Amino acid sequence: MPPTSSASAKPLRVAVIGGGIGGLTLGLALRAHGLQADIYEQAAELAEIGAAVALSANATRELERLGLGAGLAAVSTEPTELIHRDGRSGARIAAFPVRNDGAYRARFGAPYYGVHRADLQKVLSGGLAGEGLHLGHRLTAVDQQGDVMALTFANGAEVEADLVIGCDGVRSEVRRWITGGEKVRYSGTSAFRGVVPMGLLPSLPDPEAIQFWMGPDAHLLHYAIGGQADSVNFFAVVEGPQTWTSERWLTVVDAGEHRAGFAGWHPAVIEMLDALPQTQRWGLFVTDPLRRWHRGRAVLMGDSAHAMLPHHGQGANTTIEDAVTLAELLAAGGARDLDGMMRRYQGLRQTRTRTIQRSAWATNRLLHLPDAAGPATLAQRDTRMARFPEDFGWIHAFDARAAVTEAITEDSQAA
C-alpha cells in the first residue's frame, strides 16, 4: 500500500521542486517504496547546466540499488587512478588506484564513475519513464494553508501538496520560503570548464585517471567520461574575482582571460584549457549553513540546503544521499508524522553535509597554496595528499540507506 498522510486516508501528495539529478533520484527512490511524487522542473526540456559529474561510491551504491547500475556503467568511465600533480612540473605528488586492481570497489563496495551530466540525466529520467514529471513549471510562490501546501508556477498552474521537497538548486525558491532569505554566498573563487575530445590532448599523461593539478592560487581537475572514455571533463578553478556583481553565476570573459591563472603551467594543462573557446566564467557559490531545513510541510535537499565547493566532488553525491534518506524515512512511517520525519531527516543529514562543506573550503586552500607558503608548508600539503584515502575515505564509504536503518533501530530500542 502506498504511504498515506496523517490527515487523510488518501495517498500522500508529494511535490518535488526541481528535476535535476536530485529530483529525479528522489522520484525513483520514492517510487521504489510505492510512493508517487510529482516532479516540477522549470526547464522546457531536461538539460543539465554544466558538463559532467564524478559519482563516488556513496552515490553509485544507491543508484545500483535503484536498478540503474547497468545503464550507468554503459555511459561512464571508471578512472584508473586518482592522481595529485604539481601544476607546473607535472610531477606526481600522490596517486591511488581506482579501477586499477579493482582497488576502489574492493574498499568501498561500489564503483567510482565519470559521466556526462546529460547521460546521467537520461539514465535517471529513463528509469522514471516520464512518470510524474512536469516540465515548464517554474515555481513563483509557496504558501501554507493548514496542513496543505499551495504552489504557484509561472505558467499559471496552481498545485496543492501534503509535502513539498525543494531540490531547486542554489537559487532555491523553496529555501527562500523556509528561511526568509537568500542564504547564498560567493566563495571568492571562480572556474572555467569544458569537455574536450581525448584526441585533442596528446600531452596529457594518464588520460583515464582523475587528476588534480595544483599550483599558486589555482588548480585544474579533470577526468575521462563516457562509455568509451573518449572525452575529458575539466574544471579549472582560480582565486577571484574578489566580488561577484552579476545576478547569475555565469559572466562573459575576454579572450585569453582563462589562461591568466595558469601562466607557466604544464603543457597538458594549457593544452586542455585552450582546446575549447572559453567565453564564460563560473562563479562558485555556497549555501551558508542553515539552522533549519524545513518549515511547515516543506523541506530542502541538495544544493538548496547545502551547496558546497566542488573540491571533493560531492555536490551531486550528497544530493543523491539526501534523496535516498527522505525516501527511506517516508517509507518507514514518516508519511504519518511529517514533522517528525523532517526533524529526523535534518538530524541525519546536517552534520555530514556541513562537515563536507567545511572540508571543501580547507581543500581549496591546500590546492591553491602559493610558493610564498614555503617549502615546509608545501611538504606538509604533499604529506596530506598522500593520506587522501585515510582522511577522506569516510565520505565514500557512507551508506545512506544503512544510516536510516541504524537511526530507526536506535530510536526503537530507546523507546
Side-chain angles (χ1 to χ4, degrees), residues 53-55 60 63 68-79 99 105 111-117 119-120 123 208 223-231:
V53 60
L55 293 175
T60 57
L63 297 179
L68 304 178
L72 185 59
V75 296
S76 302
T77 297
E78 194 171 1
R99 183 177 78 208
R105 289 180 188 241
Y112 193 110
Y113 286 141
V115 59
H116 198 290
R117 282 181 178 266
D119 289 335
L120 174 58
V123 170
E208 291 190 29
Y223 49 89
I225 61 173
Q228 304 301 317
D230 53 4
S231 298

PDB file of all heavy atoms in Angstrom, residues 53-55 60 63 68-79 99 105 111-117 119-120 123 208 223-231:
ATOM      1  N   VAL A  53      29.852  14.961 -14.164  1.00  0.00           N
ATOM      2  CA  VAL A  53      29.794  14.764 -12.725  1.00  0.00           C
ATOM      3  C   VAL A  53      30.599  13.522 -12.388  1.00  0.00           C
ATOM      4  O   VAL A  53      30.616  12.542 -13.142  1.00  0.00           O
ATOM      5  CB  VAL A  53      28.340  14.638 -12.227  1.00  0.00           C
ATOM      6  CG1 VAL A  53      27.641  13.460 -12.866  1.00  0.00           C
ATOM      7  CG2 VAL A  53      28.272  14.541 -10.723  1.00  0.00           C
ATOM      8  N   ALA A  54      31.311  13.583 -11.261  1.00  0.00           N
ATOM      9  CA  ALA A  54      32.016  12.419 -10.739  1.00  0.00           C
ATOM     10  C   ALA A  54      31.147  11.787  -9.657  1.00  0.00           C
ATOM     11  O   ALA A  54      30.770  12.454  -8.690  1.00  0.00           O
ATOM     12  CB  ALA A  54      33.379  12.832 -10.171  1.00  0.00           C
ATOM     13  N   LEU A  55      30.830  10.524  -9.829  1.00  0.00           N
ATOM     14  CA  LEU A  55      29.976   9.812  -8.884  1.00  0.00           C
ATOM     15  C   LEU A  55      30.832   8.854  -8.062  1.00  0.00           C
ATOM     16  O   LEU A  55      31.462   7.944  -8.611  1.00  0.00           O
ATOM     17  CB  LEU A  55      28.898   9.029  -9.625  1.00  0.00           C
ATOM     18  CG  LEU A  55      27.839   9.845 -10.369  1.00  0.00           C
ATOM     19  CD1 LEU A  55      26.916   8.916 -11.143  1.00  0.00           C
ATOM     20  CD2 LEU A  55      27.034  10.710  -9.401  1.00  0.00           C
ATOM     21  N   THR A  60      26.904   5.854  -6.121  1.00  0.00           N
ATOM     22  CA  THR A  60      26.689   4.757  -7.072  1.00  0.00           C
ATOM     23  C   THR A  60      26.064   3.538  -6.401  1.00  0.00           C
ATOM     24  O   THR A  60      25.294   2.806  -7.042  1.00  0.00           O
ATOM     25  CB  THR A  60      27.998   4.354  -7.776  1.00  0.00           C
ATOM     26  OG1 THR A  60      28.978   3.983  -6.801  1.00  0.00           O
ATOM     27  CG2 THR A  60      28.531   5.504  -8.626  1.00  0.00           C
ATOM     28  N   LEU A  63      22.380   4.247  -6.594  1.00  0.00           N
ATOM     29  CA  LEU A  63      21.835   4.150  -7.944  1.00  0.00           C
ATOM     30  C   LEU A  63      21.762   2.688  -8.394  1.00  0.00           C
ATOM     31  O   LEU A  63      20.820   2.287  -9.100  1.00  0.00           O
ATOM     32  CB  LEU A  63      22.682   4.977  -8.904  1.00  0.00           C
ATOM     33  CG  LEU A  63      22.696   6.487  -8.613  1.00  0.00           C
ATOM     34  CD1 LEU A  63      23.599   7.214  -9.612  1.00  0.00           C
ATOM     35  CD2 LEU A  63      21.290   7.076  -8.637  1.00  0.00           C
ATOM     36  N   LEU A  68      19.779   0.947 -11.584  1.00  0.00           N
ATOM     37  CA  LEU A  68      20.365   1.744 -12.654  1.00  0.00           C
ATOM     38  C   LEU A  68      21.817   1.380 -12.936  1.00  0.00           C
ATOM     39  O   LEU A  68      22.483   2.045 -13.735  1.00  0.00           O
ATOM     40  CB  LEU A  68      20.284   3.233 -12.292  1.00  0.00           C
ATOM     41  CG  LEU A  68      18.889   3.769 -11.977  1.00  0.00           C
ATOM     42  CD1 LEU A  68      18.976   5.239 -11.580  1.00  0.00           C
ATOM     43  CD2 LEU A  68      17.960   3.594 -13.166  1.00  0.00           C
ATOM     44  N   GLY A  69      22.326   0.335 -12.287  1.00  0.00           N
ATOM     45  CA  GLY A  69      23.754   0.025 -12.384  1.00  0.00           C
ATOM     46  C   GLY A  69      24.235  -0.219 -13.795  1.00  0.00           C
ATOM     47  O   GLY A  69      25.230   0.366 -14.234  1.00  0.00           O
ATOM     48  N   ALA A  70      23.549  -1.070 -14.544  1.00  0.00           N
ATOM     49  CA  ALA A  70      23.992  -1.411 -15.894  1.00  0.00           C
ATOM     50  C   ALA A  70      23.912  -0.207 -16.828  1.00  0.00           C
ATOM     51  O   ALA A  70      24.838   0.050 -17.609  1.00  0.00           O
ATOM     52  CB  ALA A  70      23.160  -2.568 -16.444  1.00  0.00           C
ATOM     53  N   GLY A  71      22.819   0.536 -16.745  1.00  0.00           N
ATOM     54  CA  GLY A  71      22.672   1.713 -17.590  1.00  0.00           C
ATOM     55  C   GLY A  71      23.714   2.763 -17.292  1.00  0.00           C
ATOM     56  O   GLY A  71      24.246   3.418 -18.204  1.00  0.00           O
ATOM     57  N   LEU A  72      24.034   2.929 -16.011  1.00  0.00           N
ATOM     58  CA  LEU A  72      25.035   3.913 -15.620  1.00  0.00           C
ATOM     59  C   LEU A  72      26.422   3.486 -16.076  1.00  0.00           C
ATOM     60  O   LEU A  72      27.197   4.294 -16.604  1.00  0.00           O
ATOM     61  CB  LEU A  72      25.002   4.089 -14.101  1.00  0.00           C
ATOM     62  CG  LEU A  72      25.902   5.163 -13.497  1.00  0.00           C
ATOM     63  CD1 LEU A  72      25.570   6.529 -14.067  1.00  0.00           C
ATOM     64  CD2 LEU A  72      25.756   5.166 -11.973  1.00  0.00           C
ATOM     65  N   ALA A  73      26.770   2.221 -15.893  1.00  0.00           N
ATOM     66  CA  ALA A  73      28.081   1.726 -16.297  1.00  0.00           C
ATOM     67  C   ALA A  73      28.303   1.900 -17.800  1.00  0.00           C
ATOM     68  O   ALA A  73      29.416   2.186 -18.244  1.00  0.00           O
ATOM     69  CB  ALA A  73      28.231   0.259 -15.905  1.00  0.00           C
ATOM     70  N   ALA A  74      27.235   1.758 -18.581  1.00  0.00           N
ATOM     71  CA  ALA A  74      27.360   1.810 -20.039  1.00  0.00           C
ATOM     72  C   ALA A  74      27.740   3.191 -20.550  1.00  0.00           C
ATOM     73  O   ALA A  74      28.291   3.309 -21.654  1.00  0.00           O
ATOM     74  CB  ALA A  74      26.050   1.357 -20.688  1.00  0.00           C
ATOM     75  N   VAL A  75      27.467   4.244 -19.784  1.00  0.00           N
ATOM     76  CA  VAL A  75      27.740   5.609 -20.256  1.00  0.00           C
ATOM     77  C   VAL A  75      28.826   6.293 -19.425  1.00  0.00           C
ATOM     78  O   VAL A  75      29.040   7.497 -19.555  1.00  0.00           O
ATOM     79  CB  VAL A  75      26.460   6.470 -20.233  1.00  0.00           C
ATOM     80  CG1 VAL A  75      25.436   5.916 -21.216  1.00  0.00           C
ATOM     81  CG2 VAL A  75      25.853   6.547 -18.829  1.00  0.00           C
ATOM     82  N   SER A  76      29.539   5.527 -18.587  1.00  0.00           N
ATOM     83  CA  SER A  76      30.502   6.111 -17.657  1.00  0.00           C
ATOM     84  C   SER A  76      31.900   5.559 -17.887  1.00  0.00           C
ATOM     85  O   SER A  76      32.088   4.503 -18.485  1.00  0.00           O
ATOM     86  CB  SER A  76      30.097   5.811 -16.209  1.00  0.00           C
ATOM     87  OG  SER A  76      28.807   6.303 -15.917  1.00  0.00           O
ATOM     88  N   THR A  77      32.881   6.296 -17.358  1.00  0.00           N
ATOM     89  CA  THR A  77      34.263   5.836 -17.310  1.00  0.00           C
ATOM     90  C   THR A  77      34.671   5.650 -15.858  1.00  0.00           C
ATOM     91  O   THR A  77      34.443   6.542 -15.030  1.00  0.00           O
ATOM     92  CB  THR A  77      35.220   6.845 -17.965  1.00  0.00           C
ATOM     93  OG1 THR A  77      34.896   6.984 -19.339  1.00  0.00           O
ATOM     94  CG2 THR A  77      36.670   6.385 -17.841  1.00  0.00           C
ATOM     95  N   GLU A  78      35.267   4.525 -15.560  1.00  0.00           N
ATOM     96  CA  GLU A  78      35.814   4.294 -14.234  1.00  0.00           C
ATOM     97  C   GLU A  78      37.290   4.696 -14.269  1.00  0.00           C
ATOM     98  O   GLU A  78      38.078   4.092 -15.004  1.00  0.00           O
ATOM     99  CB  GLU A  78      35.664   2.826 -13.856  1.00  0.00           C
ATOM    100  CG  GLU A  78      35.897   2.541 -12.394  1.00  0.00           C
ATOM    101  CD  GLU A  78      35.517   1.119 -12.013  1.00  0.00           C
ATOM    102  OE1 GLU A  78      35.081   0.352 -12.904  1.00  0.00           O
ATOM    103  OE2 GLU A  78      35.662   0.775 -10.826  1.00  0.00           O
ATOM    104  N   PRO A  79      37.704   5.733 -13.548  1.00  0.00           N
ATOM    105  CA  PRO A  79      39.087   6.197 -13.657  1.00  0.00           C
ATOM    106  C   PRO A  79      40.093   5.152 -13.198  1.00  0.00           C
ATOM    107  O   PRO A  79      39.814   4.362 -12.294  1.00  0.00           O
ATOM    108  CB  PRO A  79      39.130   7.434 -12.755  1.00  0.00           C
ATOM    109  CG  PRO A  79      37.935   7.333 -11.882  1.00  0.00           C
ATOM    110  CD  PRO A  79      36.917   6.540 -12.609  1.00  0.00           C
ATOM    111  N   ARG A  99      40.247   2.168 -10.613  1.00  0.00           N
ATOM    112  CA  ARG A  99      39.906   0.982 -11.404  1.00  0.00           C
ATOM    113  C   ARG A  99      41.038  -0.043 -11.352  1.00  0.00           C
ATOM    114  O   ARG A  99      40.784  -1.256 -11.318  1.00  0.00           O
ATOM    115  CB  ARG A  99      39.647   1.388 -12.850  1.00  0.00           C
ATOM    116  CG  ARG A  99      39.206   0.232 -13.744  1.00  0.00           C
ATOM    117  CD  ARG A  99      38.891   0.729 -15.143  1.00  0.00           C
ATOM    118  NE  ARG A  99      40.100   0.977 -15.928  1.00  0.00           N
ATOM    119  CZ  ARG A  99      40.183   1.860 -16.911  1.00  0.00           C
ATOM    120  NH1 ARG A  99      39.157   2.633 -17.213  1.00  0.00           N
ATOM    121  NH2 ARG A  99      41.304   2.006 -17.586  1.00  0.00           N
ATOM    122  N   ARG A 105      36.576  -0.366  -5.736  1.00  0.00           N
ATOM    123  CA  ARG A 105      35.391  -1.192  -5.468  1.00  0.00           C
ATOM    124  C   ARG A 105      35.619  -2.107  -4.272  1.00  0.00           C
ATOM    125  O   ARG A 105      34.711  -2.331  -3.472  1.00  0.00           O
ATOM    126  CB  ARG A 105      35.046  -2.036  -6.693  1.00  0.00           C
ATOM    127  CG  ARG A 105      34.487  -1.244  -7.869  1.00  0.00           C
ATOM    128  CD  ARG A 105      34.197  -2.195  -9.020  1.00  0.00           C
ATOM    129  NE  ARG A 105      33.831  -1.504 -10.242  1.00  0.00           N
ATOM    130  CZ  ARG A 105      32.660  -1.641 -10.858  1.00  0.00           C
ATOM    131  NH1 ARG A 105      31.739  -2.423 -10.340  1.00  0.00           N
ATOM    132  NH2 ARG A 105      32.413  -1.002 -11.986  1.00  0.00           N
ATOM    133  N   PRO A 111      31.353   1.333  -7.446  1.00  0.00           N
ATOM    134  CA  PRO A 111      32.318   1.965  -8.351  1.00  0.00           C
ATOM    135  C   PRO A 111      32.384   3.480  -8.215  1.00  0.00           C
ATOM    136  O   PRO A 111      31.523   4.115  -7.618  1.00  0.00           O
ATOM    137  CB  PRO A 111      31.796   1.585  -9.737  1.00  0.00           C
ATOM    138  CG  PRO A 111      30.315   1.443  -9.545  1.00  0.00           C
ATOM    139  CD  PRO A 111      30.148   0.871  -8.160  1.00  0.00           C
ATOM    140  N   TYR A 112      33.438   4.030  -8.803  1.00  0.00           N
ATOM    141  CA  TYR A 112      33.606   5.477  -8.983  1.00  0.00           C
ATOM    142  C   TYR A 112      33.510   5.731 -10.481  1.00  0.00           C
ATOM    143  O   TYR A 112      34.190   5.074 -11.274  1.00  0.00           O
ATOM    144  CB  TYR A 112      34.980   5.905  -8.459  1.00  0.00           C
ATOM    145  CG  TYR A 112      35.157   7.398  -8.312  1.00  0.00           C
ATOM    146  CD1 TYR A 112      35.228   7.982  -7.055  1.00  0.00           C
ATOM    147  CD2 TYR A 112      35.266   8.230  -9.426  1.00  0.00           C
ATOM    148  CE1 TYR A 112      35.403   9.348  -6.906  1.00  0.00           C
ATOM    149  CE2 TYR A 112      35.423   9.592  -9.292  1.00  0.00           C
ATOM    150  CZ  TYR A 112      35.493  10.150  -8.029  1.00  0.00           C
ATOM    151  OH  TYR A 112      35.658  11.507  -7.883  1.00  0.00           O
ATOM    152  N   TYR A 113      32.664   6.678 -10.882  1.00  0.00           N
ATOM    153  CA  TYR A 113      32.426   6.922 -12.299  1.00  0.00           C
ATOM    154  C   TYR A 113      32.600   8.389 -12.655  1.00  0.00           C
ATOM    155  O   TYR A 113      32.260   9.284 -11.873  1.00  0.00           O
ATOM    156  CB  TYR A 113      30.991   6.539 -12.681  1.00  0.00           C
ATOM    157  CG  TYR A 113      30.699   5.062 -12.761  1.00  0.00           C
ATOM    158  CD1 TYR A 113      29.480   4.567 -12.297  1.00  0.00           C
ATOM    159  CD2 TYR A 113      31.598   4.166 -13.338  1.00  0.00           C
ATOM    160  CE1 TYR A 113      29.174   3.217 -12.389  1.00  0.00           C
ATOM    161  CE2 TYR A 113      31.292   2.808 -13.425  1.00  0.00           C
ATOM    162  CZ  TYR A 113      30.088   2.345 -12.944  1.00  0.00           C
ATOM    163  OH  TYR A 113      29.790   1.010 -13.042  1.00  0.00           O
ATOM    164  N   GLY A 114      33.064   8.616 -13.882  1.00  0.00           N
ATOM    165  CA  GLY A 114      32.949   9.908 -14.525  1.00  0.00           C
ATOM    166  C   GLY A 114      31.891   9.802 -15.605  1.00  0.00           C
ATOM    167  O   GLY A 114      31.951   8.890 -16.444  1.00  0.00           O
ATOM    168  N   VAL A 115      30.905  10.698 -15.579  1.00  0.00           N
ATOM    169  CA  VAL A 115      29.786  10.589 -16.516  1.00  0.00           C
ATOM    170  C   VAL A 115      29.335  11.981 -16.942  1.00  0.00           C
ATOM    171  O   VAL A 115      29.369  12.926 -16.149  1.00  0.00           O
ATOM    172  CB  VAL A 115      28.612   9.803 -15.870  1.00  0.00           C
ATOM    173  CG1 VAL A 115      28.120  10.476 -14.609  1.00  0.00           C
ATOM    174  CG2 VAL A 115      27.469   9.596 -16.858  1.00  0.00           C
ATOM    175  N   HIS A 116      28.967  12.110 -18.192  1.00  0.00           N
ATOM    176  CA  HIS A 116      28.401  13.366 -18.665  1.00  0.00           C
ATOM    177  C   HIS A 116      27.050  13.573 -17.979  1.00  0.00           C
ATOM    178  O   HIS A 116      26.262  12.630 -17.829  1.00  0.00           O
ATOM    179  CB  HIS A 116      28.225  13.352 -20.183  1.00  0.00           C
ATOM    180  CG  HIS A 116      28.068  14.711 -20.781  1.00  0.00           C
ATOM    181  ND1 HIS A 116      26.933  15.474 -20.593  1.00  0.00           N
ATOM    182  CD2 HIS A 116      28.903  15.463 -21.549  1.00  0.00           C
ATOM    183  CE1 HIS A 116      27.065  16.624 -21.228  1.00  0.00           C
ATOM    184  NE2 HIS A 116      28.246  16.649 -21.815  1.00  0.00           N
ATOM    185  N   ARG A 117      26.772  14.788 -17.553  1.00  0.00           N
ATOM    186  CA  ARG A 117      25.507  15.054 -16.864  1.00  0.00           C
ATOM    187  C   ARG A 117      24.297  14.705 -17.712  1.00  0.00           C
ATOM    188  O   ARG A 117      23.289  14.208 -17.202  1.00  0.00           O
ATOM    189  CB  ARG A 117      25.441  16.523 -16.423  1.00  0.00           C
ATOM    190  CG  ARG A 117      26.255  16.824 -15.186  1.00  0.00           C
ATOM    191  CD  ARG A 117      26.142  18.283 -14.784  1.00  0.00           C
ATOM    192  NE  ARG A 117      26.885  18.540 -13.572  1.00  0.00           N
ATOM    193  CZ  ARG A 117      26.381  18.528 -12.350  1.00  0.00           C
ATOM    194  NH1 ARG A 117      25.098  18.254 -12.185  1.00  0.00           N
ATOM    195  NH2 ARG A 117      27.135  18.772 -11.307  1.00  0.00           N
ATOM    196  N   ASP A 119      24.086  12.370 -19.912  1.00  0.00           N
ATOM    197  CA  ASP A 119      23.920  10.915 -19.922  1.00  0.00           C
ATOM    198  C   ASP A 119      23.350  10.421 -18.599  1.00  0.00           C
ATOM    199  O   ASP A 119      22.486   9.527 -18.568  1.00  0.00           O
ATOM    200  CB  ASP A 119      25.264  10.231 -20.193  1.00  0.00           C
ATOM    201  CG  ASP A 119      25.737  10.407 -21.627  1.00  0.00           C
ATOM    202  OD1 ASP A 119      24.880  10.607 -22.510  1.00  0.00           O
ATOM    203  OD2 ASP A 119      26.952  10.351 -21.863  1.00  0.00           O
ATOM    204  N   LEU A 120      23.823  10.980 -17.492  1.00  0.00           N
ATOM    205  CA  LEU A 120      23.279  10.600 -16.191  1.00  0.00           C
ATOM    206  C   LEU A 120      21.802  10.943 -16.109  1.00  0.00           C
ATOM    207  O   LEU A 120      20.985  10.149 -15.614  1.00  0.00           O
ATOM    208  CB  LEU A 120      24.051  11.307 -15.077  1.00  0.00           C
ATOM    209  CG  LEU A 120      23.508  11.136 -13.659  1.00  0.00           C
ATOM    210  CD1 LEU A 120      23.440   9.662 -13.259  1.00  0.00           C
ATOM    211  CD2 LEU A 120      24.366  11.927 -12.662  1.00  0.00           C
ATOM    212  N   VAL A 123      19.737   8.428 -17.938  1.00  0.00           N
ATOM    213  CA  VAL A 123      19.579   7.186 -17.181  1.00  0.00           C
ATOM    214  C   VAL A 123      18.504   7.350 -16.114  1.00  0.00           C
ATOM    215  O   VAL A 123      17.630   6.493 -15.941  1.00  0.00           O
ATOM    216  CB  VAL A 123      20.924   6.769 -16.542  1.00  0.00           C
ATOM    217  CG1 VAL A 123      20.724   5.614 -15.562  1.00  0.00           C
ATOM    218  CG2 VAL A 123      21.927   6.371 -17.625  1.00  0.00           C
ATOM    219  N   GLU A 208      43.150   8.500 -18.522  1.00  0.00           N
ATOM    220  CA  GLU A 208      41.923   7.971 -17.929  1.00  0.00           C
ATOM    221  C   GLU A 208      41.908   8.055 -16.405  1.00  0.00           C
ATOM    222  O   GLU A 208      41.010   7.508 -15.753  1.00  0.00           O
ATOM    223  CB  GLU A 208      41.699   6.526 -18.386  1.00  0.00           C
ATOM    224  CG  GLU A 208      41.350   6.427 -19.867  1.00  0.00           C
ATOM    225  CD  GLU A 208      40.901   5.045 -20.276  1.00  0.00           C
ATOM    226  OE1 GLU A 208      40.340   4.314 -19.440  1.00  0.00           O
ATOM    227  OE2 GLU A 208      41.115   4.675 -21.455  1.00  0.00           O
ATOM    228  N   TYR A 223      38.765  14.469 -15.523  1.00  0.00           N
ATOM    229  CA  TYR A 223      38.561  13.028 -15.544  1.00  0.00           C
ATOM    230  C   TYR A 223      37.876  12.654 -16.850  1.00  0.00           C
ATOM    231  O   TYR A 223      37.165  13.466 -17.460  1.00  0.00           O
ATOM    232  CB  TYR A 223      37.737  12.544 -14.344  1.00  0.00           C
ATOM    233  CG  TYR A 223      36.464  13.326 -14.081  1.00  0.00           C
ATOM    234  CD1 TYR A 223      35.257  12.971 -14.686  1.00  0.00           C
ATOM    235  CD2 TYR A 223      36.464  14.407 -13.206  1.00  0.00           C
ATOM    236  CE1 TYR A 223      34.099  13.680 -14.440  1.00  0.00           C
ATOM    237  CE2 TYR A 223      35.313  15.126 -12.950  1.00  0.00           C
ATOM    238  CZ  TYR A 223      34.125  14.754 -13.566  1.00  0.00           C
ATOM    239  OH  TYR A 223      32.978  15.479 -13.317  1.00  0.00           O
ATOM    240  N   ALA A 224      38.120  11.430 -17.289  1.00  0.00           N
ATOM    241  CA  ALA A 224      37.509  10.932 -18.523  1.00  0.00           C
ATOM    242  C   ALA A 224      36.049  10.591 -18.280  1.00  0.00           C
ATOM    243  O   ALA A 224      35.657  10.184 -17.181  1.00  0.00           O
ATOM    244  CB  ALA A 224      38.262   9.705 -19.020  1.00  0.00           C
ATOM    245  N   ILE A 225      35.238  10.759 -19.313  1.00  0.00           N
ATOM    246  CA  ILE A 225      33.813  10.447 -19.220  1.00  0.00           C
ATOM    247  C   ILE A 225      33.395   9.662 -20.452  1.00  0.00           C
ATOM    248  O   ILE A 225      34.110   9.592 -21.450  1.00  0.00           O
ATOM    249  CB  ILE A 225      32.950  11.717 -19.080  1.00  0.00           C
ATOM    250  CG1 ILE A 225      33.113  12.629 -20.309  1.00  0.00           C
ATOM    251  CG2 ILE A 225      33.292  12.467 -17.807  1.00  0.00           C
ATOM    252  CD1 ILE A 225      32.168  13.820 -20.316  1.00  0.00           C
ATOM    253  N   GLY A 226      32.203   9.075 -20.364  1.00  0.00           N
ATOM    254  CA  GLY A 226      31.638   8.343 -21.489  1.00  0.00           C
ATOM    255  C   GLY A 226      31.963   6.856 -21.436  1.00  0.00           C
ATOM    256  O   GLY A 226      32.949   6.440 -20.822  1.00  0.00           O
ATOM    257  N   GLY A 227      31.151   6.080 -22.096  1.00  0.00           N
ATOM    258  CA  GLY A 227      31.337   4.640 -22.096  1.00  0.00           C
ATOM    259  C   GLY A 227      32.631   4.200 -22.748  1.00  0.00           C
ATOM    260  O   GLY A 227      33.152   3.123 -22.446  1.00  0.00           O
ATOM    261  N   GLN A 228      33.184   5.021 -23.642  1.00  0.00           N
ATOM    262  CA  GLN A 228      34.422   4.695 -24.327  1.00  0.00           C
ATOM    263  C   GLN A 228      35.606   5.536 -23.832  1.00  0.00           C
ATOM    264  O   GLN A 228      36.686   5.476 -24.425  1.00  0.00           O
ATOM    265  CB  GLN A 228      34.259   4.914 -25.846  1.00  0.00           C
ATOM    266  CG  GLN A 228      33.114   4.141 -26.463  1.00  0.00           C
ATOM    267  CD  GLN A 228      33.255   2.651 -26.275  1.00  0.00           C
ATOM    268  OE1 GLN A 228      34.347   2.098 -26.431  1.00  0.00           O
ATOM    269  NE2 GLN A 228      32.159   1.975 -25.929  1.00  0.00           N
ATOM    270  N   ALA A 229      35.413   6.314 -22.787  1.00  0.00           N
ATOM    271  CA  ALA A 229      36.470   7.193 -22.256  1.00  0.00           C
ATOM    272  C   ALA A 229      37.064   8.060 -23.364  1.00  0.00           C
ATOM    273  O   ALA A 229      38.278   8.280 -23.422  1.00  0.00           O
ATOM    274  CB  ALA A 229      37.560   6.373 -21.565  1.00  0.00           C
ATOM    275  N   ASP A 230      36.199   8.573 -24.242  1.00  0.00           N
ATOM    276  CA  ASP A 230      36.692   9.308 -25.403  1.00  0.00           C
ATOM    277  C   ASP A 230      36.691  10.819 -25.209  1.00  0.00           C
ATOM    278  O   ASP A 230      37.058  11.559 -26.116  1.00  0.00           O
ATOM    279  CB  ASP A 230      35.866   8.953 -26.641  1.00  0.00           C
ATOM    280  CG  ASP A 230      34.367   9.123 -26.422  1.00  0.00           C
ATOM    281  OD1 ASP A 230      33.967   9.592 -25.340  1.00  0.00           O
ATOM    282  OD2 ASP A 230      33.596   8.777 -27.332  1.00  0.00           O
ATOM    283  N   SER A 231      36.293  11.281 -24.024  1.00  0.00           N
ATOM    284  CA  SER A 231      36.296  12.713 -23.734  1.00  0.00           C
ATOM    285  C   SER A 231      36.805  12.938 -22.319  1.00  0.00           C
ATOM    286  O   SER A 231      36.758  12.041 -21.474  1.00  0.00           O
ATOM    287  CB  SER A 231      34.885  13.300 -23.870  1.00  0.00           C
ATOM    288  OG  SER A 231      34.398  13.164 -25.182  1.00  0.00           O
TER     289      SER A 231
END
